[in-house]
């Protein structure tokens, strides 16, 4: 729905700002996103998103792979961080954005641990994610699914922030 796109766009813009200031969050998850409604608002169309909990954040110019290991929650952490091979903090945040989009588009996380059976479907790419959605009897906007697949993938194939901002899912108007 439009509200998912609107909220996700705000999260992405917040992460873009953080990255432009030289920081990576490294613990992006729905638990670290607040939704604020103006006084008197009755629905989410007026909501504003705020990203919180910068306890794991790092200045990405000074990041080495040892500092990136085990930052964040296993179900929203980029696999390269989980396995201790992470070297790109911004790319790790982008993976987590895919996890967030999956969760708000379907109502739940794709997996709870990188060793979960469900993770193996995610790691298979688009066909695996589509099979997982089919098994769970969930449907996702085709543009959102395309974006999820371009974020929740191997780091060398993952979208950059520039690619993300150009994707049709984020460029489609809410109205």
């Amino acid at each position: 729905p439009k509200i998912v796109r609107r909220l996700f766009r705000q999260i992405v813009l917040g992460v873009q700002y953080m990255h432009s200031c030289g920081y990576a969050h490294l613990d992006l998850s729905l638990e670290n996103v607040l939704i604020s409604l103006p006084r008197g608002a009755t629905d989410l169309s007026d909501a504003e998103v705020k990203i919180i909990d910068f306890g794991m954040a790092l200045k990405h110019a000074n990041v080495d792979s040892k500092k990136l290991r085990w930052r964040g929650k296993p179900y929203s952490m980029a696999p390269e961080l989980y396995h201790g091979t992470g070297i790109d903090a911004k790319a790790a945040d982008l993976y987590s954005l895919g996890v967030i989009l999956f969760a708000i588009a379907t109502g739940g996380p794709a997996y709870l641990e990188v060793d979960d059976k469900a993770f193996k479907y995610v790691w298979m790419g688009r066909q695996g994610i589509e099979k997982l959605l089919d098994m769970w009897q969930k449907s996702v906007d085709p543009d959102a699914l395309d974006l999820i697949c371009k974020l929740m993938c191997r780091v060398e194939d993952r979208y950059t922030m520039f690619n993300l901002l150009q994707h049709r899912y984020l460029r489609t108007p809410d109205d």
Side-chain angles (χ1 to χ4, degrees):
K2 294 175 189 176
I3 192 64
V4 170
R5 182 186 346 264
R6 185 177 183 286
L7 294 174
F8 185 68
R9 183 182 296 121
Q10 287 185 49
I11 297 167
V12 169
L13 292 174
V15 173
Q16 177 199 27
Y17 177 75
M18 205 178 344
H19 286 183
S20 74
C21 292
Y23 290 90
H25 191 279
L26 296 171
D27 192 17
L28 290 169
S29 65
L30 284 178
E31 292 86 348
N32 290 333
V33 173
L34 296 180
I35 298 174
S36 172
L37 289 174
R39 188 175 298 258
T42 57
D43 63 46
L44 289 174
S45 63
D46 295 321
E48 289 185 9
V49 165
K50 299 183 188 316
I51 299 171
I52 63 166
D53 191 358
F54 294 88
M56 298 284 182
L58 289 175
K59 185 96 170 147
H60 52 73
N62 301 326
V63 170
D64 67 35
S65 61
K66 291 181 187 91
K67 285 185 179 177
L68 288 180
R69 183 160 169 79
W70 284 102
R71 288 193 172 261
K73 297 160 190 72
Y75 58 87
S76 64
M77 178 189 313
E80 63 269 18
L81 297 186
Y82 185 88
H83 293 297
T85 59
I87 56 171
D88 187 336
K90 292 190 292 184
D93 277 354
L94 291 169
Y95 183 93
S96 297
L97 286 172
V99 172
I100 288 171
L101 180 56
F102 186 98
I104 60 177
T106 65
Y111 55 88
L112 297 177
E113 297 277 342
V114 172
D115 297 329
D116 274 0
K117 184 178 179 180
F119 174 77
K120 291 171 180 43
Y121 284 104
V122 170
W123 213 235
M124 289 168 55
R126 180 181 207 93
Q127 289 178 336
I129 292 172
E130 287 175 344
K131 183 172 176 114
L132 190 62
L133 291 169
D134 187 51
M135 288 186 323
W136 291 349
Q137 299 178 349
K138 300 279 186 180
S139 64
V140 173
D141 173 279
D143 288 339
L145 177 61
D146 183 66
L147 187 51
I148 289 166
C149 294
K150 289 176 175 162
L151 294 171
M152 293 178 70
C153 60
R154 288 170 172 57
V155 68
E156 59 271 11
D157 299 325
R158 198 169 301 149
Y159 258 19
T160 63
M161 182 59 76
F162 177 81
N163 299 132
L164 173 56
L165 292 169
Q166 299 305 311
H167 193 275
R168 72 180 159 265
Y169 183 72
L170 291 182
R171 295 176 57 96
T172 302
D174 294 330
D175 303 324

